[in-house]
Amino acid sequence: MTDKQNSIFGLTSADRSNLLARLKKNAASGAAGASGAAGSAGGRALDEARWTPDPKTLSFEEFPALKQLRMEQSVAERAGILNPFFQCHDGIAKAETRIGGVPFLNFSTYDYLDLNGHPELEKAGIEAMERWGTSASASRLVSGERPPHRALEKTIADLYETEDAIVYVSGHATNVSTIGKLFGPQDVIFHDALAHNSIVMGALASGARRISYPHNDTAALERLLKEHRPKAQRALIVTEGVFSMDGNICDLPGLLRLKKTWGCFLMVDEAHALGVLGKTGRGTFEHFGVDPKLVDLWMGTLSKTCCGCGGYIAGTKGLVELLKFTSPGFVYSVGMSPVLAAASRRAIELMLAEPERVAKLQVVSHEFVRYAKEKGLDTGAAEGYAVVPIMLGSSLLAGKLAARLFARHVNVMPIIYPVVEEGAARLRFFLSAAHDVEHVRRAIDIVVEELPKAREDVAAMGR
């Protein structure tokens, strides 16, 4: 195992061994007396009359992954790193929020266009609930179809100028079920190295050959296509529109050229692009001014700009028909709540009717990048569209800085290994039309004040 694989919160394997030594010693001593408790069949042919299972295999507490997680949590606690996860907000999380009754400046919300809690969305949701209830009650294929489902799908199809669309109850399941269903062992899937976990899981589920190309590098992708595309039956190129960890944009024109040259399907994940890119928020194709019909599969989520939950695929009528009758995440799942379908559709309508929301988000995002750079902070590849990282390198430093910011009532999440590669840890700021320039500058000023102190904290741990 490499040092990168063996690292926790930015610690090398040697540092980690020192920090965990006492924990492992205690665990070893506790297990010493139980060495004979392993399954009594050890090394022998199974005999139904004599064999009994090892008790450790019957307890989740004995799962290696859980033990590893608890060790990591213990190390973080001893290092004085705040556990930032599962913080409970008292109400709707906007530019400001309350956690445990305390007000915080908030940069951990997907509410890109400041629509969550909007009276029109609430009205649409309430009316749907009063007529169709809170649940579709069944898979849509059998008896769960409700008018808000098709109304939402029609709105999404119109948005991308496609023939039809399908909505799923989960954004993650949308990618896994769609990619996993459409492609198989005779095919090849090329995905960006920074593609979302759901894209990777979908590729794995398909059984197709999976090839990761260097981030946003169309020249490298073309070399890989030249080598591997002729060996496969079908090929898919899949990317994110706005990358969820880095805040930069895919090279859609370059990908369209390669799709045409090498005979591939092209899929674009718009989870962080809808409502963010383009004059009216229609996403990556509007940002580049290209015909959306040139992309074979438009994927997106309803949990961000649309303030709901779930995912969608927009494309040809045949594609959608195939997915609706055979895609596991659709066929074997209950239909989306009519409440969420109605509210999400209204959110798209408001996005198109009020482009000033998109414009404000873009202004605030651009200012965040500009001001952060002016203050000497590293915003990585961010282009100033809703997602902006502050690059820190060390996971330990990211955790320390997030804890210090939380103490200053700034809520922002650290992104650490293994979510990103060790050495690429960062704080990830989500911007919203709810923010204004004053929010942005105040947060960055606090980061600048606390970053040297966090570095001193990390240095002190090594002494």
Side-chain angles (χ1 to χ4, degrees):
M1 184 176 288
T2 65
D3 277 354
K4 180 191 293 185
Q5 292 170 323
N6 215 21
S7 62
I8 303 175
F9 295 105
L11 304 178
T12 65
S13 57
D15 293 333
R16 178 191 182 204
S17 296
N18 291 334
L19 285 170
L20 294 179
R22 289 189 297 274
L23 293 174
K24 289 183 175 179
K25 183 177 180 181
N26 292 341
S29 63
S35 59
S40 57
R44 296 174 295 175
L46 293 180
D47 183 326
E48 185 174 341
R50 298 163 58 190
W51 178 82
T52 58
D54 181 346
K56 291 183 178 180
T57 66
L58 302 176
S59 171
F60 291 113
E61 296 296 321
E62 296 297 331
F63 272 47
L66 180 57
K67 290 184 175 182
Q68 176 73 12
L69 173 63
R70 292 201 169 143
M71 281 188 176
E72 293 178 3
Q73 290 171 335
S74 179
V75 168
E77 183 178 354
R78 293 184 181 203
I81 298 175
L82 168 78
N83 179 358
F85 308 110
F86 298 101
Q87 297 288 345
C88 189
H89 295 248
D90 298 340
I92 297 176
K94 292 289 190 178
E96 297 181 357
T97 188
R98 299 183 74 85
I99 300 174
V102 178
F104 280 78
L105 189 56
N106 186 41
F107 292 93
S108 294
T109 176
Y110 293 153
D111 184 15
Y112 290 141
L113 296 186
D114 191 24
L115 289 173
N116 193 21
H118 190 289
E120 288 295 316
L121 268 66
E122 292 181 349
K123 179 182 178 183
I126 290 170
E127 289 178 353
M129 180 180 65
E130 289 175 342
R131 183 166 182 181
W132 294 289
T134 57
S135 173
S137 302
S139 167
R140 286 174 59 189
L141 188 66
V142 289
S143 64
E145 189 83 355
R146 300 294 182 270
H149 297 137
R150 288 304 294 152
L152 173 59
E153 289 166 344
K154 178 65 165 59
T155 298
I156 292 171
D158 289 346
L159 187 73
Y160 293 101
E161 301 177 21
T162 58
E163 294 176 350
D164 207 348
I166 175 176
V167 295
Y168 293 75
V169 294
S170 160
H172 192 280
T174 300
N175 274 333
V176 174
S177 284
T178 298
I179 299 172
K181 179 61 191 178
L182 295 178
F183 300 92
Q186 302 304 313
D187 305 325
V188 61
I189 296 172
F190 301 88
H191 68 78
D192 191 286
L194 298 186
H196 192 266
N197 170 270
S198 57
I199 292 173
V200 176
M201 292 299 103
L204 291 171
S206 74
R209 183 169 187 186
R210 179 178 67 89
I211 298 175
S212 170
Y213 62 88
H215 177 51
N216 246 356
D217 189 339
T218 52
L221 172 57
E222 186 158 26
R223 290 192 293 271
L224 290 168
L225 284 163
K226 183 177 181 179
E227 179 181 356
H228 300 286
R229 174 62 185 101
K231 304 172 187 177
Q233 183 177 32
R234 297 182 180 87
L236 172 70
I237 300 171
V238 56
T239 184
E240 294 183 50
V242 172
F243 287 89
S244 59
M245 292 293 169
D246 292 80
N248 60 333
I249 305 169
C250 74
D251 177 10
L252 183 57
L255 294 173
L256 286 170
R257 177 182 63 82
L258 294 178
K259 155 195 156 57
K260 182 178 180 181
T261 301
W262 292 97
C264 303
F265 292 100
L266 177 60
M267 179 177 182
V268 182
D269 181 333
E270 295 283 274
H272 295 273
L274 179 66
V276 173
L277 296 182
K279 289 186 177 180
T280 63
R282 295 174 74 191
T284 308
F285 78 86
E286 186 178 34
H287 175 81
F288 285 105
V290 303
D291 183 352
K293 290 186 285 294
L294 295 175
V295 173
D296 302 285
L297 298 101
W298 288 106
M299 180 272 174
T301 56
L302 302 170
S303 55
K304 299 165 182 71
T305 287
C306 293
C307 301
C309 190
Y312 62 82
I313 296 288
T316 66
K317 183 177 180 180
L319 165 68
V320 171
E321 183 179 14
L322 175 62
L323 293 176
K324 282 192 171 181
F325 280 91
T326 65
S327 176
F330 184 86
V331 173
Y332 300 107
S333 178
V334 68
M336 176 181 291
S337 164
V339 176
L340 294 176
S344 295
R345 177 173 181 252
R346 188 70 185 116
I348 295 174
E349 292 172 339
L350 286 173
M351 176 191 79
L352 296 173
E354 300 176 3
E356 61 271 18
R357 292 178 179 271
V358 180
K360 184 183 180 188
L361 169 62
Q362 292 174 358
V363 167
V364 168
S365 300
H366 291 334
E367 175 60 15
F368 190 104
V369 172
R370 187 204 68 79
Y371 191 64
K373 288 181 176 179
E374 178 184 305
K375 293 294 184 178
L377 298 174
D378 181 1
T379 57
E383 297 182 44
Y385 292 99
V387 181
V388 182
I390 298 295
M391 305 301 294
L392 298 167
S394 162
S395 293
L396 183 58
L397 178 59
K400 283 285 190 180
L401 182 56
R404 282 190 165 275
L405 293 181
F406 195 83
R408 294 285 300 273
H409 298 170
V410 178
N411 184 46
V412 59
M413 291 293 103
I415 305 298
I416 60 177
Y417 177 83
V419 178
V420 294
E421 290 186 357
E422 186 51 54
R426 79 279 310 262
L427 299 185
R428 181 173 58 165
F429 288 77
F430 288 111
L431 285 306
S432 166
H435 291 113
D436 55 35
V437 170
E438 190 276 333
H439 290 129
V440 163
R441 292 181 178 175
R442 179 153 51 102
I444 291 172
D445 286 342
I446 294 173
V447 171
V448 170
E449 292 172 12
E450 296 298 330
L451 181 53
K453 301 173 186 176
R455 287 194 172 117
E456 290 176 3
D457 293 341
V458 173
M461 291 182 63
R463 293 199 289 267

